[in-house]
Amino acid sequence: KAGVTQTPRYLIKTRGQQVTLSCSPISGHRSVSWYQQTPGQGLQFLFEYFSETQRNKGNFPGRFSGRQFSNSRSEMNVSTLELGDSALYLCASSGTGQSTDTQYFGPGTRLTVL
Amino acid sequence: GNSVTQMEGPVTLSEEAFLTINCTYTATGYPSLFWYVQYPGEGLQLLLKATKADDKGSNKGFEATYRKETTSFHLEKGSVQVSDSAVYFCALSLSGNTPLVFGKGTRLSVIA
């Protein structure tokens, strides 16, 4: 079974631009979560989608948004990029998103904002 | 709130040494507990998990036991290898569809 895939793997943007990251979950998984990883803050939860609905949201500004499509693929968008948005963005999928479910992570998208 | 505290790294060990990485948690309820590992340049991989008190998760020689009385989930391995060098994250998830809460991570370096 193919794992979680994320595209692109690397991105370089400048302040003020916007960016869209894509995540394809494991086949059959309906829950997709996004996390931001930085050296200072560690791993922080952004949001979770299940059956095209945002089910949970972390404490991030409205510049961070996402969506999920009917095939469970998900995108996240960051508008008006700031230097502090430079991070590794990780996507994870699970069957139902329940606490006992294992979340399987993709390799991440490394975003650098100049 | 809900949180996970891991021992600060980095941890440097010689090959075949015994490994312990401490993890304690604070949670309102009965969480599921996880250890994830991140190798350089990669995403996170599940190492092991336990979903209820006294459960022991194990994988690839690593073990951790869910201790409700001490709110702990310490990771152990009897004999580490150079290939175990990575960052290890302890995490919890509460009942329902709540997200993972991660510790800060512990970097392990194993030298030959």
Side-chain angles (χ1 to χ4, degrees), chain B residues 5 11 17 61 69:
Chain B
T5 302
V11 174
E69 62 276 11

Side-chain angles (χ1 to χ4, degrees), chain B residues 19 23 40 51 56:
Chain B
L19 168 71
C23 170
T51 59
K56 177 187 279 189

Side-chain angles (χ1 to χ4, degrees), chain B residues 35-56:
Chain B
W35 277 101
Y36 280 86
V37 59
Q38 187 175 34
Y39 298 101
E42 297 184 14
L44 275 68
Q45 298 176 26
L46 178 71
L47 186 57
L48 52 85
K49 74 177 187 181
T51 59
K52 61 183 188 297
D54 300 325
D55 268 1
K56 177 187 279 189

Side-chain angles (χ1 to χ4, degrees), chain A residues 12-96:
Chain A
I12 299 176
K13 293 286 186 180
T14 55
R15 278 181 301 173
Q17 288 187 307
Q18 75 165 20
V19 67
T20 298
L21 313 182
S22 180
C23 171
S24 292
I26 291 172
S27 177
H29 283 190
R30 296 166 65 191
S31 169
V32 174
S33 297
W34 289 88
Y35 294 84
Q36 181 196 65
Q37 184 178 24
T38 60
Q41 299 299 316
L43 282 150
Q44 294 185 286
F45 171 74
L46 281 154
F47 27 65
E48 185 233 356
Y49 287 86
F50 181 82
S51 293
E52 302 179 65
T53 301
Q54 187 181 86
R55 197 161 61 170
N56 278 300
K57 188 178 191 310
N59 189 26
F60 277 81
R63 300 185 296 107
F64 292 82
S65 62
R67 59 177 175 168
Q68 186 180 34
F69 301 95
S70 58
N71 62 357
S72 293
R73 190 177 70 84
S74 177
E75 291 181 345
M76 68 163 280
N77 184 277
V78 188
S79 62
T80 320
L81 284 165
E82 300 177 359
L83 295 178
D85 297 333
S86 294
L88 180 67
Y89 289 89
L90 293 164
C91 163
S93 77
S94 69
T96 63

Side-chain angles (χ1 to χ4, degrees), chain B residues 67-82:
Chain B
R67 301 284 187 203
K68 193 175 101 175
E69 62 276 11
T70 55
T71 62
S72 65
F73 193 53
H74 305 320
L75 182 68
E76 297 182 335
K77 186 175 185 183
S79 175
V80 293
Q81 305 300 312
V82 172

